């Protein structure tokens, strides 16, 4: 049985699993069982209402008896001629009616309809009529409407013919016609008795008897239509009784001569009353027989309703049992089919989830600049357990897995090769620049020409910048080489070391408000980070504007703030670059023109250093670098003493020649740097070396002989960056800090530049012209930024 469903088409399996349960469960359980249950409940409610209506039928009979006693008492008042007849029988009839009213309320309880409750109140409202009848004579035509209407309202209050629970089995019409026919027959008997007493309104009573008998006939025919044959025979017993024969004979006599029924004097009234009282027992016997037949029929109707309720309940149970049996069979079949469908689907889903997880990890690794490639993923093959569409899907999925694994392997290999290529190129450039610096040092040691030395220093500075680019390239390749021979260095000296690696260092102003000391392992990377930020600040700001660098503390942390006064960035661009500094990306996913900030972000994430870009007031960009206290030497952030400008580079100092008789260009003395750490003066610019007369020998002593200058001193080795000194007041070659530029609206200038570039591009597009580079000028992509301008 397990193998057979495996050969079914997948569509048939779905039809079997979906179509059969919906059809069987919905049709059998939802419709049939609910319908039979509703029928059973309605039949039970109908049976209870029918049984409760017995008390109403009794109340109608008691009310008819009181009606007859009221007519009898009124006629006695007329026949007495001023005497006071006894009202005990009438009061007894009243008490029986009031007692029956209480029984009706007790039988219905809270289920008593509002209309029936109002009808009971109307019965109790007959008290005024009762007092009038007891006080004296009242014509019968004034008594009849009150009792007739009260009986009719009691039947109307049940609303049997409008009850939806009774409509399906015709129980409501059957019971309503039975009660109304009994009430009409009581009214007929009372009218015949009243006309027989010789009342002054006997003629009106005869007419009322005729109408009541017609109503009884109509309701009897209606009852026969809804009742069974046995119930119809039982109901017909009301007409064929000895008492009914007496009443029918009197009714016939009244119809022969209706006018003779009305007495002309009290004596005639007494004679007619005596004859009526002789047959009054027949009226009471007929009333008892009618009530007995009515209650018997009501019990039969109730039994019939209860049988219908039980039948519907049994049907509901049988349908429920059949539905449960069918559901059990369906469950067994569904389990078999489910195993043939779910197992391969679950396996396929697991394999797909594995592919998704692997792809998600791969994407995370691609977006992670610090992540290492762990090799291509290994995906297990999907087992094929069915020979249907799912099996074909599993085979196709295996092919997709194989192809995806091959593609991922190719991507991993490609990224690894690119990273290795970057690393090799970076190492080669770094080695070449180191060799170049060594050769420059050798040439500087043997050269005394100031002009040539100035050019050598420029070449030396360019080589240092080139080595910074090589360090950035190795960083992009994921290579981390920490300096093993370095010691703790102050943060201010790290900033000065970074200045030696950029172009335009003359424009930088340093404000040292703290001398925090860095741990050795962070010095190289932080120098590169600050150099990239300074390069951006210098490159993207006007040449006549300063770049301000502030070194301060923020609690236990140290802060470096680099501010320029250029056009800056838009708010959207700042948000994008700040997000890029936080999230991890690979080089092959970031734009190629943001390598500087990419390097900054990579180093910031490596050492958990906070870097935030914001707009400089008046225009420009401010970069705030927050170095956590974990990367500082304990207690170093509280130092406030100032150090010489270039003593931080003493550990990397290289000897350099110095011309004889020239101003010393070695390390700048301590007084060259403001003693106040908050001093905002500009950093010393690289000054030109003064002209030398005669080069001095490299020996420690001055050469003897005629013509030798008496003030000659031996040449000292050059310290890299030693030319970054602050000129004195008397040095006319010292750099002069330019005036702070006029503050302009950066957004307005940026909008004007954007509009100008858009206009140029539109003009080129409309004219079809392509800008042609000038002759003998190197070809350059117009989108490439200048050297050192990458962010």
């Amino acid at each position: 049985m397990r193998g057979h469903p495996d050969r079914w088409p997948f569509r048939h399996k779905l039809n079997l699993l979906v179509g059969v349960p919906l059809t069987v469960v919905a049709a059998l359980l939802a419709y049939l069982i609910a319908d039979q249950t509703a029928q059973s409940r309605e039949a039970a409610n109908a049976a209870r209402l029918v049984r409760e209506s017995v008390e109403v039928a009794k109340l109608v009979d008691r009310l008819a008896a009181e009606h007859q006693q009221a007519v009898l008492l009124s006629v006695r008042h007329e026949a007495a001629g001023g005497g006071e007849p006894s009202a005990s029988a009438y009061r007894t009839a009243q008490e029986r009616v009031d007692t029956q009213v209480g029984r009706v309320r007790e039988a219905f309880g809270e289920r008593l309809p509002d209309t029936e409750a109002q009808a009971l109140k109307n019965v109790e409202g007959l008290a005024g009529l009762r007092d009038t009848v007891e006080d004296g004579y009242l014509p019968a035509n004034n008594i009849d409407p009150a009792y007739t209407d009260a009986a009719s309202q009691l039947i109307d209050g049940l609303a049997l013919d409008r009850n939806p629970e009774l409509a399906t089995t015709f129980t409501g019409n059957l019971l309503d016609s039975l009660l109304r026919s009994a009430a009409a027959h009581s009214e007929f008997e009372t009218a015949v008795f009243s006309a027989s007493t010789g009342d002054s309104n006997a003629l009106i009573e005869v007419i009322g008897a005729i109408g009541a008998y017609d109503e009884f006939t109509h309701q009897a025919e209606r009852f026969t239509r809804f009742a069974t044959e046995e119930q119809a025979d039982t109901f017909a017993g009301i007409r064929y009784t000895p008492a009914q024969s007496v009443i029918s004979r009197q009714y016939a006599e009244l119809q022969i001569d209706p006018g003779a029924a009305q007495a002309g004097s009290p004596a005639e009234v007494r004679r007619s009353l005596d004859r009526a009282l002789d047959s009054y027992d027949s009226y009471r016997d007929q009333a008892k027989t009618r009530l007995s037949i009515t209650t018997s029929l009501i019990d039969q109707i109730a039994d019939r309703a209860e049988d219908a309720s039980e039948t519907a309940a049994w049907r509901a149970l049988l349908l429920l049992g059949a539905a449960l049996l069918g559901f059990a069979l369906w469950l067994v079949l569904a389990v078999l089919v489910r195993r043939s469908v779910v197992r391969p689907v679950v396996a396929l889903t697991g394999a797909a989830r594995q592919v998704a997880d692997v792809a998600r990890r791969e994407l995370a690794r691609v977006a992670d600049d610090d992540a290492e490639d762990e090799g291509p993923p290994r995906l297990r093959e999907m087992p094929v357990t069915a020979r249907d569409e799912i099996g074909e899907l599993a085979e196709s999925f295996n092919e997709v897995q194989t192809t995806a694994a091959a593609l991922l392997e190719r991507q991993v290999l490609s990224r690894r090769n690119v990273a290795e290529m970057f690393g090799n190129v970076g190492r080669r450039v770094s080695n070449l620049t180191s060799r170049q610096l060594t050769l420059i040092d050798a040439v500087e040691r043997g050269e005394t020409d100031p002009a040539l030395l100035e050019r050598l220093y420029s070449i030396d500075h360019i080589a240092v910048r080139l080595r910074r680019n090589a360090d950035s390239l190795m960083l992009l390749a994921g290579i981390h080489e920490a300096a093993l021979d370095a010691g703790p260095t102050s943060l201010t000296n790290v900033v000065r070391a970074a200045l030696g690696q950029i172009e335009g260092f003359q424009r930088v102003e340093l404000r040292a408000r703290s001398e925090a000391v860095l741990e050795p392992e962070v010095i190289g990377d932080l120098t590169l980070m600050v150099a990239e930020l300074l390069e951006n600040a210098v490159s993207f700001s006007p040449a006549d504007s300063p770049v301000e660098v502030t070194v301060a503390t923020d609690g236990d942390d140290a802060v470096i703030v680099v501010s320029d006064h250029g056009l800056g960035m838009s708010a959207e661009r700042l948000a994008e670059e700040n997000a890029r500094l936080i999230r991890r990306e690979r080089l092959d996913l970031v734009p190629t023109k943001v390598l500087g900030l990419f390097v900054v972000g990579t180093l910031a994430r490596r050492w958990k250093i906070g870097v935030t870009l914001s707009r400089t007031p008046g225009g420009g960009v401010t970069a705030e670098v927050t170095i956590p206290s974990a990367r500082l030497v304990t207690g170093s952030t509280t130092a406030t003493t100032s150090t010489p400008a270039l003593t931080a580079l003493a550990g990397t100092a290289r000897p350099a020649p110095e011309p004889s008789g020239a101003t010393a260009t070695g390390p700048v003395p301590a007084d060259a740097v403001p003693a106040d750490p908050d001093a905002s003066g500009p950093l010393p610019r690289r000054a030109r070396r003064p002209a030398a007369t005669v080069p001095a020998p490299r020996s420690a002593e001055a050469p003897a002989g005629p013509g030798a200058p008496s003030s000659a001193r031996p040449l000292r080795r050059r310290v890299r960056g030693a030319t970054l000194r602050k000129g004195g007041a008397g040095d006319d070659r010292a750099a002069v800090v330019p005036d702070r530029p006029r503050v302009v609206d950066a957004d307005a200038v940026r909008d004007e530049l954007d509009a100008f570039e858009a206009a140029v591009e539109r003009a080129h597009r409309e004219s079809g012209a392509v800008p042609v580079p000038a002759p003998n000028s190197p070809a350059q992509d117009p989108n490439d930024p200048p050297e050192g301008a990458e962010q």
Side-chain angles (χ1 to χ4, degrees):
M1 293 183 67
R2 291 178 55 186
H4 182 65
D6 289 342
R7 292 190 293 271
W8 290 355
F10 184 67
R11 293 185 299 273
H12 292 178
K13 296 176 183 177
L14 291 181
N15 293 336
L16 184 63
L17 290 176
V18 177
V20 173
L22 288 179
T23 303
V24 174
V25 176
L28 293 180
L29 292 179
Y31 178 75
L32 296 177
I33 298 178
D35 182 67
Q36 293 298 321
T37 303
Q39 291 183 12
S40 176
R41 183 175 59 255
E42 292 176 357
N45 293 336
R48 182 173 55 189
L49 179 61
V50 170
R51 293 197 183 279
E52 292 169 349
S53 64
V54 172
E55 301 299 332
V56 177
K58 292 180 180 179
L59 178 59
V60 172
D61 181 75
R62 300 288 188 273
L63 200 59
E66 182 183 345
H67 184 191
Q68 293 176 4
Q69 290 296 329
V71 172
L72 183 59
L73 180 60
S74 178
V75 174
R76 284 177 175 173
H77 276 291
E78 184 181 7
E84 188 67 24
S86 174
S88 59
Y90 183 45
R91 291 172 183 171
T92 301
Q94 294 177 16
E95 292 176 357
R96 295 182 64 188
V97 169
D98 294 339
T99 302
Q100 188 61 33
V101 168
R103 291 178 179 176
V104 171
R105 288 197 175 99
E106 183 180 356
F108 281 92
E110 296 179 355
R111 297 184 305 276
L112 181 67
D114 295 337
T115 53
E116 187 67 16
Q118 183 62 38
L120 294 177
K121 290 181 180 179
N122 293 336
V123 172
E124 294 174 345
L126 295 175
L129 178 64
R130 292 170 177 174
D131 294 339
T132 303
V133 172
E134 290 180 3
D135 291 340
Y137 170 73
L138 187 66
N141 61 341
N142 293 336
I143 300 174
D144 295 342
Y147 285 99
T148 301
D149 292 343
S152 179
Q153 290 175 4
L154 288 173
I155 300 174
D156 294 339
L158 295 176
L160 298 174
D161 54 345
R162 299 186 300 273
N163 193 329
E165 295 182 351
L166 304 177
T168 55
T169 58
F170 303 105
T171 304
N173 290 323
L174 186 65
L175 182 59
D176 183 75
S177 61
L178 176 62
L179 294 177
R180 292 186 185 278
S181 62
H185 197 273
S186 297
E187 184 180 353
F188 165 74
E189 293 175 356
T190 303
V192 172
F193 176 75
S194 178
S196 300
T197 60
D199 183 74
S200 58
N201 293 320
L203 182 59
I204 298 176
E205 294 298 319
V206 172
I207 297 173
I210 296 173
Y213 189 79
D214 291 340
E215 176 67 16
F216 167 74
T217 304
H218 170 69
Q219 295 297 337
E221 293 177 354
R222 179 186 172 201
F223 175 81
T224 305
R225 288 198 302 267
F226 298 109
T228 62
E229 184 176 358
E230 181 181 358
Q231 291 173 344
D233 294 339
T234 302
F235 181 77
I238 297 177
R239 298 181 178 181
Y240 305 108
T241 61
Q244 180 63 27
S245 300
V246 175
I247 298 173
S248 297
R249 185 175 62 253
Q250 292 180 356
Y251 175 60
E253 293 176 355
L254 292 173
Q255 284 182 318
I256 294 173
D257 188 7
Q262 186 172 346
S265 63
E268 293 180 0
V269 171
R270 284 194 294 270
R271 287 194 297 270
S272 299
L273 178 59
D274 292 337
R275 287 195 301 269
L277 290 176
D278 291 340
S279 61
Y280 184 68
D281 292 338
S282 297
Y283 286 90
R284 300 313 309 150
D285 292 340
Q286 178 63 22
K288 293 179 181 178
T289 302
R290 183 180 60 250
L291 180 60
S292 175
I293 293 175
T294 301
T295 55
S296 175
L297 289 175
I298 290 177
D299 290 339
Q300 293 180 20
I301 296 173
D303 293 340
R304 180 181 176 184
E306 290 178 351
D307 292 341
S309 174
E310 293 178 358
T311 302
W314 276 108
R315 288 178 181 175
L317 292 176
L318 291 176
L319 288 175
L320 179 60
L324 292 177
L325 179 61
F327 183 77
L329 295 177
W330 167 79
L331 184 61
V332 173
L333 182 62
V335 169
L336 297 177
V337 177
R338 179 181 178 278
R339 295 184 64 181
S340 65
V341 175
V342 172
R343 285 188 302 171
V345 170
V346 170
L348 186 61
T349 303
R353 186 177 293 110
Q354 182 184 9
V355 173
D357 294 340
V358 171
R360 189 180 299 109
R361 290 196 301 269
E362 183 66 15
L363 288 176
R365 185 165 61 249
V366 167
D368 189 349
D369 59 328
D370 295 329
E372 297 292 338
D373 289 331
E374 301 175 353
R378 300 301 179 200
L379 304 175
R380 62 183 180 87
E381 186 175 357
M382 168 69 188
V384 181
T385 59
R387 296 183 298 276
D388 54 7
E389 289 86 345
I390 294 181
E392 296 176 0
L393 178 60
E395 294 177 355
S396 300
F397 189 80
N398 287 333
E399 296 179 1
V400 172
Q401 283 193 145
T402 304
T403 305
L407 289 176
L408 292 177
E409 184 176 2
R410 183 68 58 85
Q411 291 179 3
V412 171
L413 181 62
S414 175
R415 289 196 301 271
R416 187 176 298 168
N417 292 338
V418 171
E420 186 176 356
M421 179 184 64
F422 278 2
N424 292 334
V425 173
R427 284 194 182 95
R428 291 180 181 181
V429 174
S430 180
N431 293 336
L432 289 176
T433 53
S434 298
R435 293 170 59 187
Q436 184 181 15
L437 289 173
T438 303
L439 293 176
I440 292 174
D441 286 343
V443 174
E444 287 176 347
R445 293 190 191 98
E447 184 60 48
T448 58
D449 184 6
L452 185 57
L453 281 175
E454 184 69 21
R455 295 180 181 178
L456 289 175
Y457 292 154
S458 299
I459 297 173
D460 180 282
H461 188 58
I462 293 174
V464 172
R465 292 167 54 202
L466 182 60
R467 186 165 62 180
R468 174 173 64 85
N469 292 335
D471 293 340
S472 299
L473 191 60
M474 287 190 292
L475 175 68
L476 298 179
I479 299 175
H480 180 208
E481 295 181 352
L484 301 178
D485 56 349
T489 305
S490 65
L491 193 57
T492 305
N493 290 334
V494 170
V495 175
R496 292 191 176 98
L499 286 173
Q501 300 182 10
I502 68 170
E503 186 178 8
F505 57 87
Q506 301 92 338
R507 295 165 45 200
V508 179
E509 299 178 2
L510 175 62
R511 297 184 179 91
R513 296 192 177 97
S514 173
E515 281 300 329
V517 179
L518 284 174
E519 293 181 348
E521 59 180 0
V522 194
I523 294 175
D525 287 345
L526 185 61
T527 302
L528 179 59
M529 178 191 296
V530 176
E532 293 290 350
L533 293 174
L534 290 174
E535 185 74 34
N536 287 343
V538 171
S539 300
F540 293 97
S541 61
D544 57 348
S545 64
V547 175
E548 301 164 354
V549 182
T550 303
V551 180
T553 57
D554 183 9
D556 294 335
D557 302 335
V559 180
I560 301 176
V561 180
V562 180
S563 302
D564 63 69
H565 300 277
L567 295 180
M569 302 179 185
S570 63
E572 295 78 8
R573 179 70 184 280
L574 277 175
E576 179 181 352
E577 297 301 337
N578 280 321
R580 182 172 287 116
L581 290 174
I582 297 175
R583 68 174 182 265
R584 297 179 292 181
E585 294 178 311
R586 295 190 68 93
L587 179 60
D588 50 358
L589 297 180
V590 299
T592 56
K593 295 184 180 181
V594 294
L595 296 182
L597 290 180
F598 179 80
V599 171
V600 172
T602 303
L603 294 174
R605 290 188 295 271
R606 174 182 294 177
W607 298 107
K608 300 186 183 305
I609 296 175
V611 181
T612 305
L613 302 179
S614 60
R615 301 188 66 177
T616 303
V621 176
T622 298
E624 182 176 345
V625 181
T626 303
I627 300 142
S629 59
R631 301 302 175 189
L632 302 176
V633 177
T634 304
S636 63
T637 58
T638 58
T640 58
T641 59
S642 176
T643 58
L646 300 176
T647 53
L649 305 178
T652 58
R654 297 187 291 112
E658 181 179 352
S660 174
T663 304
T665 59
V668 180
D671 55 2
V673 178
D676 184 5
D678 293 334
S680 60
L683 285 177
R685 298 180 59 187
R686 185 181 294 276
R688 291 182 177 275
R689 296 174 59 85
T693 54
V694 179
R698 295 180 181 273
S699 60
E701 297 179 358
S710 60
S711 60
R713 294 182 299 173
L715 291 175
R716 296 188 300 170
R717 296 180 63 84
R718 185 182 71 85
V719 178
R720 182 175 300 165
T723 56
L724 296 174
R725 65 183 182 85
K726 181 177 181 181
D731 190 357
D732 54 358
R733 291 182 297 274
V736 179
V737 178
D739 295 336
R740 191 174 298 275
R742 179 176 57 88
V743 179
V744 297
D745 188 354
D747 292 335
V749 176
R750 188 185 302 104
D751 294 340
E752 293 177 0
L753 290 177
D754 293 341
F756 175 75
E757 292 177 355
V760 172
E761 182 180 356
R762 185 170 60 256
H764 288 163
R765 185 171 60 256
E766 293 176 354
S767 62
V770 179
V772 180
N776 301 327
S777 63
Q780 181 179 3
D781 188 350
N783 295 325
D784 290 342
E787 178 185 3
E790 294 84 353
Q791 293 191 11

